[in-house]
Amino acid sequence: DTGVSQDPRHKITKRGQNVTFRCDPISEHNRLYWYRQTLGQGPEFLTYFQNEAQLEKSRLLSDRFSAERPKGSFSTLEIQRTEQGDSAMYLCASSFGRGDEKLFFGSGTQLSVL
Amino acid sequence: GQQVMQIPQYQHVQEGEDFTTYCNSSTTLSNIQWYKQRPGGHPVFLIQLVKSGEVKKQKRLTFQFGEAKKNSSLHITATQTTDVGTYFCAGRTRANAGKSTFGDGTTLTVKP
């Protein structure tokens, strides 16, 4: 399978705990995106990378959120001191870039904060 | 900031009827994309429109980009049960070329 893969598929955590999600994009894609989606809403932009450089981060994102893409391949999204409002589906997507911006989404990580 | 709005939020049709969803942006877009998300699934790319007034067709689906590049529509002719899902538009601007802003989607249900 050469699509975008995300791990884990589901995460249940207690409020105040830290969580980390992983995304492996399509190998030849140099852009990687993180989105968040709640029921009945469209995907909400969080951040994106061009290779290893984080080029934009949503102003909606608090300092509790951080993302990395250390070698321009896989990426991690960490949420510190989780809150109940962080419960959502976290979607990763990748694109080829260089004018081809079709987004290929992974299956997402469903986070539930109790 | 940029906002993308879609109407209607829900549409219920009888199989064989047509369906249209509309997308409006608060700012001029450089391009617009459409995605389909099946229940329990993730968004899947359908098409990208770039030019003012552009019209593209994919079998029973017709996509349009407005002349002012601020609105778009997706029309499905003779819906089938396989068309069920949520259709999202996503717009990009020149100022934020790397960021797609999604609408909240139109959820289509088809009664056989």
Side-chain angles (χ1 to χ4, degrees), chain A residues 29-45:
Chain A
H29 285 183
N30 60 32
R31 287 193 172 186
L32 185 148
Y33 308 78
W34 286 99
Y35 281 84
R36 177 172 64 187
Q37 187 176 28
T38 53
L39 203 61
Q41 306 291 314
E44 177 188 17
F45 174 82

Side-chain angles (χ1 to χ4, degrees), chain A residues 12-73:
Chain A
I12 300 173
T13 191
K14 291 183 179 179
R15 190 176 53 183
Q17 297 294 304
N18 299 342
V19 294
T20 300
F21 310 141
R22 176 179 171 125
C23 172
D24 287 87
I26 294 172
S27 57
E28 60 266 30
H29 285 183
N30 60 32
R31 287 193 172 186
L32 185 148
Y33 308 78
W34 286 99
Y35 281 84
R36 177 172 64 187
Q37 187 176 28
T38 53
L39 203 61
Q41 306 291 314
E44 177 188 17
F45 174 82
L46 296 179
T47 188
Y48 92 98
F49 294 82
Q50 170 104 5
N51 299 313
E52 65 274 10
Q54 188 174 18
L55 296 188
E56 187 169 350
K57 184 176 176 180
S58 171
R59 282 172 284 180
L60 299 173
L61 223 56
S62 75
D63 291 340
R64 297 185 297 107
F65 288 71
S66 62
E68 293 183 342
R69 194 182 182 197
K71 296 183 180 178
S73 56

